Amino acid sequence: LALYDDDGTDLGWSDVTVGSWYMKYLRSGMMYTLLHGDGDADTVRPEEGIKRVEFLKFIMQAALMDHDKAFSMESCYDSPYDDVLAEQWFTGYVCKAKSLVLFDTYDNLFLPSNGTTRAEVAEAIYRMFKAEEWGVFGPLM
C-alpha cells in the first residue's frame, strides 16, 4: 500500500502530536480504513505498544485489500483458544492466525490483550509470507 503524507492535522485524535514521525503512518492507516482509534474515544495511543489482536486485525485487513489474490477471511463460530470466546470482535482474526500458526502459543491460550513483541511481529509476518494457504503473499521458496 502507498504511504500517505502527513497532512499537518491531528486527524481527529486528541493524543497525537501534530508533525510527529508517526503521523504519516496513522494517516495512511486511517485512509485505508485499517486504523480507527479507540472506538468512540478520540484517542489512538500512538506512543503505546500494540496488542496481539490489534496487530492481527491490522495485517489481515491490509492483506484483504489485495483483491487479485485468493485470501479470504472465514467466519469463526468456535472458541479457538481457552481465552478467546467465539463472540468477541477479534475471534475471526485469531481463528485465522491459529490456522496459519502465526503465533507460538502455550496451554491453549492466545493471550489477546498481551502486547506484541518485535520478535512476534517479525515471526508472524514471516509465517504469513511463507504460508501457502495465505494467497496474498505466499509461498516463499
Side-chain angles (χ1 to χ4, degrees):
L1 302 174
L3 189 61
Y4 283 83
D5 290 329
D6 179 0
D7 68 355
T9 71
D10 66 8
L11 301 172
W13 291 310
S14 64
D15 61 345
V16 300
T17 302
V18 174
S20 291
W21 66 270
Y22 53 74
M23 291 305 293
K24 63 183 172 185
Y25 301 103
L26 293 181
R27 183 167 182 243
S28 297
M30 185 180 196
M31 296 300 288
Y32 289 115
T33 66
L34 297 171
L35 181 65
H36 305 285
D38 294 323
D40 293 333
D42 68 344
T43 57
V44 70
R45 297 175 288 121
E47 299 291 343
E48 291 184 22
I50 187 167
K51 296 177 183 176
R52 281 181 157 194
V53 293
E54 293 169 334
F55 166 68
L56 282 177
K57 179 185 180 207
F58 191 84
I59 62 171
M60 289 185 182
Q61 287 297 316
L64 287 169
M65 296 182 85
D66 188 341
H67 302 292
D68 295 333
K69 305 294 181 177
F71 174 76
S72 64
M73 191 72 177
E74 299 86 21
S75 296
C76 181
Y77 302 104
D78 297 317
S79 297
Y81 294 98
D82 292 342
D83 58 347
V84 177
L85 302 176
E87 65 274 0
Q88 293 175 293
W89 69 264
F90 52 81
T91 303
Y93 300 112
V94 177
C95 284
K96 182 58 106 172
K98 184 174 186 175
S99 73
L100 295 172
V101 193
L102 296 186
F103 287 92
D104 293 327
T105 59
Y106 306 96
D107 296 329
N108 202 39
L109 297 174
F110 183 73
L111 308 172
S113 294
N114 275 19
T116 304
T117 66
R118 291 176 191 220
E120 288 176 317
V121 167
E123 184 70 19
I125 290 173
Y126 172 78
R127 290 177 182 184
M128 285 175 63
F129 274 96
K130 186 178 169 194
E132 187 169 342
E133 188 270 339
W134 191 276
V136 173
F137 300 114
L140 292 181
M141 298 299 186

